[in-house]
Amino acid sequence: MTEPVDTTPSRWASGVTGIVFPVLVVLAIITAIWYAVCVPMNIHGAVQSAERAGVVVIPEDAKTRREMGGVALALQNTGEISDVWSQDRPRLPAPHQVAVELWKTTVLKKVTSKRSLIYHGWITLSATLLGFAFGTGLGILLAIGIVHSRVMDMSVMPWAIISQTIPIIALAPMIIVVLYSIGVQGIIPKAVISAYLSFFPVVVGMVKGLRSPDAMQLDLLRTYSASKAQGFWKLRLPASMPYLFTSLKIGIAASLVGAIVGELPTGAVSGLGARLLAGSYYGQTVQIWSALFAAAILAACLVAILGVIERVTLKRMGMA
Amino acid sequence: MMLVGAAFLIWVLGWWMNVRLANGPAADTRGVKLLVPVIFGVTVLLVWELLVWGLEVPLVILPAPSLIATRFAQSTSILWQDFQQTFVKGALSGYFIGCSAAFLMAIAVDRSDFLRRGLLPVGNFVAALPIVGTAPILVMWFGFDWHSKAAVVVVMVFFPMLINTVAGLRETTAMQRDLMETYAASYWQSFFKLRLPAAMPFIFNGLKISTTLALIGAIVAEFFGSPTVGMGFRISTSVGQLALDMVWAEIVVAALAGTAFYGVMALIEKGVTFWHPSQRG
């Protein structure tokens, strides 16, 4: 599998001044579209609650209203448009509603509270990190084996590549239930899912990285009469670092998805996935959106931390 | 105990065959390159089968491959319905809509350097997010049927496809574009004759990444609500009934569908980008 478009921070660093403004503009456009889409999405609810409050709305029949498009209804009830951004259970919450909910459930709630997103985020994060550590560790070991053993390369590598085209996350509910039936529950089943989701990208990326030194460099080491171990520690491993970090970033994102999906079958107890599921059971859209954003922020932080480690490491190694 | 011993023997035998083949004189021929992973796969299946019987692993933990195969053969009609619901209706339609929308968006963005510089980091950022989390929202908006699954797939494939296409459209060098200018080529002429062909390896990269994402999106979205048909629905309900042979049968279907989908895209890529160094080898 070819690797995705380069996301290394060098592109950021090279044109920070040239990039910040366009990014802000794009974000502003997205926010504006979001606010605008709230109108047709939420106008039905807004008109209904206005009618309940005694305001005359057009048309008066609720059934005709339900069949009308959102835009048409909004045009006939311009007075109610301002309410679409402050609905209790909107179909699409406005950005500030999500922000307020995020603020309320992170900063204003005690960390131990069952309603604190930090609490749920930590549940998910701990499973993600545990699984990620195991998955990448085993992945690197297997990659070393593959590079040094022709048999392993020829037998295992094709399967590792094929595994990337398979939605292996479909195994998640089964792993949870099977581990539960043999008495394992809590963080471990989710970590297992996270581990195998980050395992294969790391194997494939690391094999590519450990093979990246060209024949010339390998020959040079041979003229030094370097042993296999020396060749590994002094040439292959350092050369594989950029590949390792690229696959680590893919792996941690996959691990997080795995931990979130792993929380679904247990029936919404705790964790970000549970918040998503509970929100969809009870129609709490604001809660779903805030859990979604919490997951997004978590993913972004994890990838960003790896990016910083990557930059520092490569700089100290003289590669960036 | 006999079966466990047999499993061990088969493992040793399979590994020994692979060692002989991989280090033998014919190791670089096509046949051996295909044979070695096949031997490995068959060995794993046999060892799995023998260990499950030998150690008397209960069905609710790990069914033997033979049981999974029987279940697969017995329920082909259910599996076919699930496949149609999830793959053909959900994943394929979402894949098609999402990829074409991203492609058109990329062309529009590409004309403005400002937009491109703003959108690429945002797109890269979004592509790393757990987008399957939008599934409960989209299920709420579009209902339980395949439309919501297609919507999840659209959102999932959109950004990887967008950043790949935008990156691909930048692939030409200033020299090449200058040449087109000296021919007095119009924007669309140089687009179709130079920049789009040059972008093809990137576009296919996006298309191939999206095949897996499409299946993941369609299956996971069904965990949040679905009609009583579909691969994700079958997996989650069969897990609840501890019918693990059915779960594995669905996973086999998902694996076959994913590999075939990817393979078809790779074949098309081979035909379209025959000129690219990676395809000529």
Side-chain angles (χ1 to χ4, degrees):
Chain A
M1 199 167 178
T2 33
E3 66 247 70
V5 175
D6 173 44
T7 51
T8 43
S10 58
R11 195 186 282 161
W12 283 79
S14 64
V16 166
T17 45
I19 259 175
V20 170
F21 182 59
V23 167
L24 288 179
V25 171
V26 166
L27 289 180
I29 294 173
I30 292 175
T31 318
I33 294 176
W34 185 346
Y35 270 110
V37 174
C38 281
V39 174
M41 288 297 274
N42 299 338
I43 189 73
H44 290 86
V47 167
Q48 198 165 3
S49 46
E51 188 189 29
R52 252 183 247 138
V55 183
V56 178
V57 294
I58 315 159
E60 284 186 33
D61 181 26
K63 193 161 170 285
T64 0
R65 278 209 306 269
R66 247 198 310 277
E67 282 157 9
M68 276 175 79
V71 179
L73 191 63
L75 287 176
Q76 290 186 23
N77 297 281
T78 41
E80 273 67 48
I81 286 183
S82 59
D83 291 342
V84 299
W85 296 297
S86 54
Q87 290 283 299
D88 239 4
R89 288 184 179 189
R91 288 180 75 194
L92 174 63
H96 68 262
Q97 285 180 300
V98 179
V100 167
E101 172 81 8
L102 267 177
W103 180 259
K104 272 203 288 199
T105 49
T106 51
V107 182
L108 300 182
K109 277 262 165 15
K110 259 202 236 136
V111 198
T112 48
S113 159
K114 287 267 190 271
R115 292 189 158 185
S116 163
L117 268 183
I118 294 185
Y119 164 79
H120 289 288
W122 168 247
I123 300 271
T124 307
L125 178 67
S126 52
T128 306
L129 290 181
L130 183 66
F132 177 69
F134 270 98
T136 47
L138 291 175
I140 292 172
L141 283 183
L142 183 64
I144 294 171
I146 284 176
V147 169
H148 285 98
S149 153
R150 219 181 133 67
V151 196
M152 275 179 85
D153 176 25
M154 288 178 78
S155 343
V156 181
M157 199 55 192
W159 294 107
I161 293 173
I162 288 176
S163 76
Q164 304 244 298
T165 68
I166 297 174
I168 41 177
I169 200 162
L171 289 165
M174 189 174 64
I175 287 172
I176 301 280
V177 170
V178 166
L179 288 183
Y180 183 83
S181 76
I182 57 172
V184 182
Q185 46 182 314
I187 184 175
I188 304 289
K190 288 188 275 175
V192 169
I193 297 168
S194 289
Y196 79 71
L197 284 178
S198 57
F199 175 75
F200 290 106
V202 170
V203 171
V204 175
M206 222 21 207
V207 166
K208 216 185 258 174
L210 290 172
R211 290 233 171 97
S212 62
D214 58 30
M216 212 61 132
Q217 294 166 319
L218 292 170
D219 278 350
L220 180 67
L221 281 199
R222 210 161 297 146
T223 63
Y224 293 159
S225 79
S227 69
K228 243 186 167 172
Q230 281 173 324
F232 174 76
W233 290 109
K234 295 191 195 266
L235 175 61
R236 285 190 190 271
L237 193 63
S240 69
M241 281 304 131
Y243 295 84
L244 175 64
F245 280 109
T246 309
S247 29
L248 285 184
K249 284 192 223 162
I250 298 171
I252 194 117
S255 281
L256 184 63
V257 172
I260 291 175
V261 173
E263 282 159 359
L264 301 180
T266 52
V269 185
S270 55
L272 291 176
R275 292 296 280 179
L276 285 176
L277 196 63
S280 79
Y281 279 164
Y282 303 115
Q284 296 284 2
T285 41
V286 184
Q287 180 189 324
I288 301 182
W289 279 88
S290 60
L292 185 60
F293 268 80
I297 292 167
L298 195 57
C301 289
L302 290 173
V303 174
I305 291 170
L306 281 176
V308 170
I309 298 176
E310 173 184 28
R311 220 176 329 168
V312 173
T313 315
L314 294 187
K315 201 163 224 167
R316 291 196 61 174
M317 289 170 62
M319 291 172 87
Chain B
M1 221 50 231
M2 272 258 298
L3 292 171
V4 179
F8 181 72
L9 263 181
I10 285 181
W11 179 259
V12 172
L13 187 73
W15 196 249
W16 176 77
M17 265 160 69
N18 272 355
V19 170
R20 287 295 299 272
L21 281 171
N23 296 322
D28 282 324
T29 55
R30 238 197 140 121
V32 171
K33 273 190 178 156
L34 206 69
L35 191 61
V36 171
V38 170
I39 291 178
F40 181 74
V42 171
T43 312
V44 168
L45 279 184
L46 283 176
V47 169
W48 174 356
E49 176 87 36
L50 290 171
L51 281 185
V52 166
W53 293 120
L55 300 174
E56 287 170 3
V57 180
L59 178 73
V60 290
I61 292 179
L62 189 67
S66 57
L67 282 181
I68 299 168
T70 331
R71 169 62 60 196
F72 189 96
Q74 279 169 357
S75 25
T76 38
S77 70
I78 295 181
L79 292 172
W80 175 246
Q81 279 171 8
D82 292 344
F83 172 80
Q84 275 188 319
Q85 169 78 13
T86 304
F87 185 76
V88 181
K89 290 186 190 160
L92 264 191
S93 56
Y95 179 81
F96 185 73
I97 298 171
C99 287
S100 4
F103 180 72
L104 295 177
M105 178 93 168
I107 294 173
V109 167
D110 180 65
R111 295 201 79 157
S112 149
D113 189 52
F114 183 82
L115 264 186
R116 205 198 60 223
R117 268 188 301 161
L119 207 68
L120 258 191
V122 176
N124 268 326
F125 172 75
V126 177
L129 300 182
I131 299 186
V132 276
T134 55
I137 297 162
L138 293 167
V139 168
M140 219 176 258
W141 285 355
F142 295 99
F144 282 162
D145 209 356
W146 60 271
H147 305 90
S148 59
K149 282 55 189 186
V152 175
V153 174
V154 169
V155 183
M156 279 193 82
V157 302
F158 184 82
F159 287 97
M161 186 65 195
L162 179 72
I163 48 179
N164 272 291
T165 313
V166 170
L169 288 174
R170 292 173 65 197
E171 188 52 12
T172 50
T173 61
M175 259 321 205
Q176 293 168 323
R177 287 192 301 265
D178 279 351
L179 180 68
M180 292 309 276
E181 221 141 284
T182 61
Y183 293 158
S186 70
Y187 173 83
W188 289 113
Q189 276 174 326
S190 74
F191 179 83
F192 281 114
K193 300 206 160 142
L194 171 65
R195 301 179 58 225
L196 190 60
M200 276 304 165
F202 287 79
I203 293 175
F204 273 100
N205 193 20
L207 284 174
K208 286 194 294 188
I209 294 173
S210 300
T211 55
T212 320
L213 290 177
L215 263 178
I216 292 176
I219 292 177
V220 173
E222 286 181 3
F223 296 160
F224 284 97
S226 66
T228 55
V229 64
M231 291 155 76
F233 165 80
R234 195 76 56 203
I235 287 174
S236 53
T237 48
S238 301
V239 162
Q241 300 158 353
L242 294 177
L244 288 198
D245 46 350
M246 192 66 199
V247 178
W248 279 99
E250 279 302 343
I251 285 165
V252 171
V253 174
L256 290 177
T259 318
F261 196 7
Y262 188 91
V264 167
M265 279 299 144
L267 269 184
I268 300 176
E269 177 184 26
K270 210 168 189 173
V272 174
T273 62
F274 58 91
W275 47 269
H276 195 260
S278 67
Q279 302 289 347
R280 279 182 301 188

